[in-house]
Amino acid sequence: MKRIEKCCEEVKQAVQQFHTEGIYPSEAAISKLLAKPGCFRDKEVRVALKAARRDIGLDA
């Protein structure tokens, strides 16, 4: 699996985890859970974060 795909998958999982816990899935909070916090340097990963937030009803 490519690095960016792995980061995107980690972001999606973190958004779901935060949503379940009632915590807003901010980029800063999610980066603390990622194996490589620098993932957000990649545009694709930020797009995945927005998509994951949209999927749970945020950032419509």
Side-chain angles (χ1 to χ4, degrees):
M1 185 182 283
K2 292 193 302 188
R3 178 184 59 82
I4 291 175
E5 290 172 357
K6 185 171 176 18
C7 287
C8 289
E9 190 56 40
E10 284 184 30
V11 165
K12 290 175 193 173
Q13 290 174 2
V15 167
Q16 283 296 332
Q17 179 181 336
F18 278 12
H19 181 62
T20 300
E21 296 172 8
I23 301 168
Y24 181 77
S26 68
E27 187 175 312
I30 289 176
S31 69
K32 293 177 184 173
L33 291 181
L34 300 179
K36 297 181 187 260
C39 284
F40 282 114
R41 289 188 202 121
D42 295 304
K43 181 181 178 187
E44 295 94 331
V45 179
R46 291 192 307 274
V47 168
L49 173 59
K50 286 185 177 187
R53 284 181 185 156
R54 230 183 354 263
D55 289 347
I56 61 169
L58 299 174
D59 294 357

